């Protein structure tokens, strides 16, 4: 899932694709690099971010979704608002990626169900401006996240979202400190045991920056891409349904190496693998 932030203030690339034409060009480039899905968002959910007005969010995402779906893209709308989800589905989106899991606006569940959309319910406790105040998990982060997502799962199913169209996301970085994110990643099998596909969005996030930083510092956001690609590989081995990334090419390259490695282990000749040259070609 390639990220298209149509925002002026997203943590990774805020402002680069804020204009509709630039966002569409970026989305098309991500498709060329290997994205299967494009996630279009008009509200930054970085820690401390303030919410845009409804009209602002609609103006940001609807034209981009319309143009990208017209170009053949499979599009997800990244929103917590029922009105935005409804307009996005009318514009051609087929996935609603709701970071609040229906808590911020419960009617979004009805919109997703009525539109026959795939619905992504992420673990969430509060809006960006205050979410890190809620990073307390007395019973353990994995247990509490799974329990809270079970409640969101039940709400989505009760609203009419088809079980095969429901996806769960552990919400890395949302009301979670660095160590808690790693615990959640190790606990993904417990989340998958709820019986639904899993999406993970760890791309360039602070827990990677903290891992790679020196002392108490953080590795700058643009310099976290190698770690993101490595994380994507590990998530592929964990059989997640989808990874949400900013740099599609880096993740696809890493997955191509993994695929070639596994094919070789299975005895598939290198020349039979797409994109892998024969010995003669290597010599040239």
């Amino acid at each position: 899932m390639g990220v298209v932030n149509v925002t002026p203030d997203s943590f990774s690339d805020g402002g680069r694709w804020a204009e509709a034409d630039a966002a569409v060009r970026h989305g098309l480039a991500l498709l060329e690099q290997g994205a299967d899905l494009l996630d279009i968002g008009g509200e930054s959910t970085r820690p401390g971010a303030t919410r845009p007005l409804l009209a602002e969010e609609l103006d940001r995402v609807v034209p981009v979704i319309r143009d990208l779906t017209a170009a053949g893209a499979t599009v997800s709308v990244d929103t917590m608002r029922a009105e935005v989800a409804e307009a996005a589905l009318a514009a051609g989106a087929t996935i609603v990626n709701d970071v609040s899991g229906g808590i911020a606006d419960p009617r979004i569940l009805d919109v997703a169900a009525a539109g026959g959309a795939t619905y992504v319910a992420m673990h969430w406790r509060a809006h960006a401006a205050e979410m890190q105040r809620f990073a307390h998990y007395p019973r353990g982060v994995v247990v509490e996240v799974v329990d809270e997502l079970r409640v969101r799962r039940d709400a989505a199913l009760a609203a009419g979202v088809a079980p095969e169209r429901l996806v769960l996301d552990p919400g890395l970085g949302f009301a979670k400190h660095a160590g808690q994110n790693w615990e959640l990643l190790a606990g993904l099998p417990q989340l998958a045991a709820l019986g639904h596909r899993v999406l993970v969005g760890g791309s360039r996030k602070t827990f990677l920056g903290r891992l790679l930083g020196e002392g108490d510092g953080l590795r700058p956001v643009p310099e976290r891409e190698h770690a993101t690609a490595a994380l994507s590989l590990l998530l592929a081995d964990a059989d997640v349904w989808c990874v949400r990334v900013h740099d599609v090419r880096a993740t696809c390259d890493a997955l191509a190496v993994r695929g070639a490695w596994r094919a070789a282990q299975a005895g598939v000749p290198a020349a039979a693998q797409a994109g892998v040259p024969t010995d003669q070609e290597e010599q040239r």
Side-chain angles (χ1 to χ4, degrees):
M1 176 183 278
V3 179
V4 181
N5 288 321
V6 195
T7 58
D9 57 345
S10 291
F11 85 96
S12 175
D13 50 12
R16 294 188 67 186
W17 327 114
E19 298 299 324
D21 289 346
V24 171
R25 288 195 300 271
H26 182 54
L28 294 174
L30 294 180
L31 290 177
E32 291 179 2
Q33 294 168 16
D36 299 297
L37 316 168
L38 297 177
D39 194 39
I40 316 303
E43 175 180 354
S44 172
T45 52
R46 63 175 174 77
T50 57
R51 306 197 72 190
L53 298 174
L54 171 61
E56 289 178 311
E57 189 179 352
L58 286 167
D59 288 345
R60 289 173 182 177
V61 302
V62 171
V64 176
I65 291 170
R66 186 180 296 120
D67 287 354
L68 286 171
T69 55
T74 299
V75 170
S76 164
V77 60
D78 179 0
T79 187
M80 293 182 274
R81 288 175 163 138
E83 296 93 338
V84 176
E86 196 165 33
L89 294 177
T94 57
I95 302 169
V96 176
N97 182 15
D98 176 8
V99 301
S100 82
I103 296 174
D105 185 351
R107 196 172 72 83
I108 200 170
L109 302 175
D110 301 319
V111 169
T118 293
Y119 179 72
V120 181
M122 194 193 80
H123 178 263
W124 184 89
R125 286 183 164 181
H127 284 291
E130 57 179 358
M131 65 181 176
Q132 293 308 96
R133 292 174 43 220
F134 293 85
H136 301 291
Y137 300 88
R139 295 185 296 123
V141 66
V142 176
V143 170
E144 294 196 28
V145 166
V146 171
D147 283 352
E148 291 171 26
L149 276 177
R150 183 183 292 109
V151 173
R152 304 320 310 152
R153 185 272 308 271
D154 292 347
L157 295 177
V161 175
E164 67 273 14
R165 293 190 177 276
L166 182 60
V167 179
L168 303 178
D169 180 342
L172 299 182
F174 287 78
K176 295 158 191 92
H177 300 312
Q180 293 166 337
N181 292 314
W182 293 113
E183 290 180 51
L184 270 178
L185 288 167
L188 284 178
Q190 296 177 54
L191 177 57
L194 292 179
H196 301 277
R197 293 173 291 173
V198 174
L199 179 146
V200 176
S203 181
R204 300 178 179 174
K205 287 191 172 178
T206 299
F207 76 104
L208 296 177
R210 192 165 303 284
L211 172 71
L212 303 172
E214 297 181 2
D216 294 331
L218 292 175
R219 175 78 62 85
V221 173
E223 298 176 19
R224 302 173 190 172
E225 205 51 59
H226 300 306
T228 297
L231 179 61
S232 294
L233 283 181
L234 295 171
L235 291 168
D237 286 333
D239 293 325
V240 302
W241 169 67
C242 191
V243 290
R244 183 180 183 274
V245 299
H246 297 86
D247 188 331
V248 167
R249 175 166 288 156
T251 281
C252 285
D253 286 352
L255 292 173
V257 171
R258 172 182 177 267
W261 178 287
R262 288 196 162 186
Q265 289 178 315
V268 177
Q273 299 179 37
V276 179
T278 63
D279 289 342
Q280 187 176 4
E281 289 170 329
E282 278 284 6
Q283 290 169 6
R284 288 203 300 269

